[in-house]
Amino acid sequence: MKGRVTNVGIGAAVGSLLVLATMQGAQANSDLQNLTKNADNWALQTGNFTGQHNSTLNQINKNNVKNLKAAWSFSTGVLHGHEGAPLVIGDMMYIHSAFPNNTFAVNLNDPGVIAWQHKPKQVASVKAVACCDIVNRGLAYGDGKIIKTQLDGKLVALDAKSGKIAWEIEVCDPKVGATLTQAPFIAKNTVLVGCSGAELGVRGAVNSFNLKTGELQWRAFATGPDEEVKLAKNFNSDNPHYGQFGLGLKTWEGDAWKIGGGTNWGWYAYDPKLNLFYYGSGNPAPWNETMRPGDNKWTMTIWARDLDTGEAKWGYQKTPHDEWDFAGVNQMILSDHKVDGKVTPLLTHIDRNGIMYTLNRDNGNLVQAAKVDPAVNVFKKVDLKTGTPVRDPEFSTRMDHKSTNVCPSAMGFHNQGLDALDLDEPIVYAGLNHICMDWEPFMLPYRAGQFFVGATLAMYPGPSGPTKKEMGQVRAMDIVTGKYKWTKWEKFAVWGGTLATKGGLVAYNTLDGYIKTLDKDNGKELWKFKMPSGGIGAPMTYQFKGKQYIGSMYGVGGWPGVGLVFDLTDPSAGLGAVGAFKELQNHTQMGGGLMVFSL
């Protein structure tokens, strides 16, 4: 079955589709729910519906991790960035690649043999409109299908046993700069996915597709009229100061909202009890803030939407009128912890803007908003009563002015990486960037399918590292208080995120090619292994025939790959200087693949 989803209104047919989805949803999703409850599997990119990216497996632990060795490896034969991780469903593993978005199925009884592979044919020209490299963030599983995205804008369902195409839908139109790099997310009978392309003036939306048929169920935009943004009648009723109705138009000048960005290409989380899913909309377009006066709602927003209807219960805009490309699409982590002595349903989100937010995920109340690093200077603080960031005008951007020593850089102090929540404590192990920038805007016209940015950047290490040359760190932070527990500094950005296990370990990758494990209590390094290339995905873990394994993708790309054309040690060098990254460049030439480790 093939189809095309266009950028038009949803239409009357959605009502009947919603009824069908409701009838089929419980049965289709029970399989996935059971899989996520069994730690032998790794059935979701986020580890589980809550986005906690942790595992109860403890065979590999603090006492024996020093004995960890490579068990087997798999090369995808593709260069560029390999974000995300493989999925493990029973005795099968499913591996993805960067463009051309190949998919491989291997049986864990004999991982040297490919059971089936799907290699789509895509027009090479689509690569020219992909911002920040031709990465892909991984696969999803549900209803006996592997769901994948292709850079050319197609969402594809493959039979998990045979690899045959079950259905194929065009979601994004590369002709206007919209591509697909996101990992799909499955809950109930719904596949959630969003397009990339804010840097080309794409108007962002989250899309819901029927898992069985591939049909569009609903679409909710980030900008525009309330009915297209799909605001519920009680939207933000608990926090009206966040803003309520009409703002998707009023906070934009003229029709700028039509090319206003707000794309979502990051991660989702889902609460079955509330039937709400959570995600972030990205940066407004263009980067040059002078060209789009106003708060530019609802870009840069944490959303809580009903899974069945798409209606937004609440939305909190973290960076009104973004001036720095702090795309807010990062991971959402759901947990239940005590706040003021009462167990509270929480959502924690570490944003590109350098703030870790914790909110009540039921009503959107802001619990805390703490800097992930004292170097954050664009904001002095976040007002917890209003939710509004207090800007430092010294680090704002404006026409005919070069802003210097702005922290974080456009890469953010946190980006696409999937971080881990501790299984016992309200502690998140955050893989962070530590990169600041100079920023100089310029004017440019909008042309469909062309980059619509309007700023020149130079990036370099931030000031907090022990030698002032460090560009990354892993930091343990309390999600309720915002306090730091420990910090482990790294030479380069810790891009891919972290994995936490019941064995007391925190695992992560480095851009210069290592997978490492730390003691979760103090951040002490316990083990490391040199992979063929740098890693920008987060490790995962599974158990097969009673033996625990840790797996990790390798292959550098994404923003770090784009960063190869910046001099990160000389703020005056700007675009085009590569000397400071020669060492990192040496770790990007071996292609991409997967390494699996065991005791």
Side-chain angles (χ1 to χ4, degrees):
M1 170 183 176
K2 294 186 178 182
R4 177 183 172 88
V5 176
T6 57
N7 224 13
V8 298
I10 295 175
V14 172
S16 60
L17 285 173
L18 286 175
V19 173
L20 176 64
T22 302
M23 294 171 59
Q24 295 176 334
Q27 180 179 355
N29 193 49
S30 60
D31 183 29
L32 183 56
Q33 285 181 320
N34 291 333
L35 287 169
T36 59
K37 292 176 182 178
N38 183 347
D40 287 2
N41 304 297
W42 192 262
L44 286 170
Q45 291 294 328
T46 52
N48 38 46
F49 287 126
T50 62
Q52 292 182 8
H53 209 255
N54 53 26
S55 172
T56 57
L57 296 179
N58 62 4
Q59 187 180 99
I60 302 171
N61 55 56
K62 291 191 287 186
N63 296 322
N64 61 23
V65 69
K66 62 180 181 292
N67 300 320
L68 205 59
K69 292 180 173 57
W72 57 275
S73 64
F74 183 95
S75 173
T76 65
V78 175
L79 295 171
H80 296 281
H82 283 59
E83 293 177 341
L87 299 181
V88 170
I89 311 295
D91 61 359
M92 296 297 294
M93 176 181 281
Y94 302 95
I95 304 168
H96 68 285
S97 81
F99 182 90
N101 309 125
N102 298 329
T103 302
F104 306 91
V106 299
N107 191 306
L108 294 176
N109 289 292
D110 190 359
V113 176
I114 297 173
W116 58 257
Q117 54 188 321
H118 176 252
K119 293 186 173 182
K121 295 186 182 297
Q122 300 184 64
V123 179
S125 60
V126 71
K127 294 189 290 184
V129 295
C131 172
C132 319
D133 200 39
I134 50 177
V135 297
N136 185 278
R137 296 182 182 88
L139 307 165
Y141 173 86
D143 191 37
K145 302 180 182 72
I146 294 295
I147 311 296
K148 64 182 288 184
T149 55
Q150 296 178 185
L151 194 66
D152 63 2
K154 291 180 181 178
L155 181 69
V156 182
L158 306 173
D159 182 274
K161 293 182 178 179
S162 67
K164 293 181 179 179
I165 295 177
W167 50 258
E168 182 178 286
I169 297 291
E170 185 176 328
V171 183
C172 315
D173 185 359
K175 293 185 179 64
V176 298
T179 53
L180 264 181
T181 61
Q182 187 181 42
F185 184 87
I186 294 174
K188 293 171 68 172
N189 194 50
T190 292
V191 182
L192 298 173
V193 73
C195 302
S196 302
E199 277 66 38
L200 293 95
V202 171
R203 181 187 176 204
V206 57
N207 305 280
S208 166
F209 295 94
N210 186 288
L211 174 60
K212 287 187 174 294
T213 67
E215 298 296 329
L216 178 68
Q217 298 177 142
W218 53 258
R219 169 180 287 132
F221 288 95
T223 66
D226 290 349
E227 59 270 23
E228 295 184 14
V229 182
K230 295 188 74 66
L231 303 184
K233 292 180 179 179
N234 64 342
F235 176 68
N236 273 345
S237 58
D238 289 289
N239 293 283
H241 52 282
Y242 289 172
Q244 292 184 283
F245 304 104
L247 300 179
L249 296 175
K250 294 176 183 177
T251 60
W252 293 85
E253 187 175 66
D255 290 340
W257 58 271
K258 293 181 178 179
I259 53 172
T263 54
N264 73 94
W265 43 266
W267 309 99
Y268 303 97
Y270 174 60
D271 184 335
K273 291 183 179 179
L274 299 174
N275 199 39
L276 294 176
F277 75 94
Y278 306 87
Y279 72 102
S281 53
N283 57 285
W287 289 5
N288 184 346
E289 59 87 27
T290 305
M291 299 177 65
R292 43 173 176 79
D295 279 354
N296 308 135
K297 294 190 182 293
W298 289 93
T299 64
M300 314 299 287
T301 297
I302 297 175
W303 292 100
R305 293 188 182 273
D306 183 277
L307 181 69
D308 298 330
T309 67
E311 286 193 340
K313 181 177 181 181
W314 59 262
Y316 168 62
Q317 189 180 36
K318 300 153 293 177
T319 308
H321 187 66
D322 172 44
E323 305 174 51
W324 309 276
D325 182 38
F326 291 155
V329 303
N330 312 48
Q331 175 187 12
M332 307 289 165
I333 300 174
L334 312 184
S335 65
D336 298 310
H337 286 102
K338 285 186 177 181
V339 177
D340 297 328
K342 181 181 179 181
V343 176
T344 305
L346 300 178
L347 177 153
T348 300
H349 168 85
I350 303 177
D351 199 73
R352 287 235 312 242
N353 67 15
I355 305 295
M356 179 178 70
Y357 300 87
T358 298
L359 303 95
N360 182 313
R361 69 175 179 271
D362 185 14
N363 56 30
N365 290 349
L366 189 59
V367 173
Q368 67 83 20
K371 295 182 179 182
V372 298
D373 190 289
V376 174
N377 59 24
V378 293
F379 303 138
K380 296 179 180 180
K381 64 176 183 177
V382 175
D383 186 320
L384 293 181
K385 291 184 178 180
T386 66
T388 305
V390 180
R391 282 168 153 84
D392 188 330
E394 180 180 348
F395 303 105
S396 290
T397 65
R398 59 188 183 275
M399 280 299 299
D400 304 317
H401 171 74
K402 183 177 181 180
S403 303
T404 59
N405 299 311
V406 178
C407 301
S409 75
M411 294 177 77
F413 272 4
H414 187 277
N415 203 285
Q416 67 84 37
L418 283 169
D419 294 320
L421 186 72
D422 191 272
L423 284 89
D424 303 309
E425 304 176 83
I427 299 293
V428 64
Y429 304 103
L432 302 173
N433 309 321
H434 185 61
I435 301 170
C436 301
M437 68 177 174
D438 297 343
W439 176 290
E440 190 167 9
F442 59 86
M443 305 293 284
L444 79 168
Y446 168 75
R447 295 186 179 92
Q450 296 187 23
F451 278 87
F452 188 49
V453 176
T456 300
L457 285 65
M459 297 188 284
Y460 40 88
S464 298
T467 70
K468 314 302 182 188
K469 295 181 180 180
E470 291 81 7
M471 290 180 280
Q473 57 187 306
V474 177
R475 177 161 277 169
M477 297 183 65
D478 190 303
I479 64 171
V480 177
T481 67
K483 294 182 179 179
Y484 309 157
K485 184 177 180 180
W486 51 257
T487 301
K488 170 71 163 59
W489 287 96
E490 285 289 345
K491 182 186 300 183
F492 299 113
V494 182
W495 193 259
T498 63
L499 166 73
T501 73
K502 195 67 174 177
L505 300 174
V506 176
Y508 65 100
N509 296 320
T510 70
L511 292 185
D512 53 348
Y514 287 97
I515 178 172
K516 297 183 178 183
T517 61
L518 309 179
D519 185 322
K520 70 115 173 176
D521 292 322
N522 53 32
K524 179 182 177 182
E525 187 174 300
L526 301 176
W527 171 86
K528 68 179 181 180
F529 184 94
K530 186 70 168 63
M531 299 188 294
S533 182
I536 60 171
M540 51 78 75
T541 188
Y542 66 96
Q543 189 163 273
F544 183 63
K545 293 184 175 179
K547 190 170 187 177
Q548 183 184 356
Y549 296 84
I550 292 176
S552 175
M553 304 294 290
Y554 60 85
V556 171
W559 249 119
V562 175
L564 292 174
V565 299
F566 290 86
D567 187 332
L568 299 192
T569 61
D570 181 3
S572 66
L575 196 64
V578 297
F581 254 95
K582 286 296 185 184
E583 180 182 354
L584 179 54
Q585 201 169 23
N586 291 336
H587 299 281
T588 67
Q589 307 303 312
M590 296 297 292
L594 168 72
M595 292 209 68
V596 178
F597 304 89
S598 65
L599 294 173

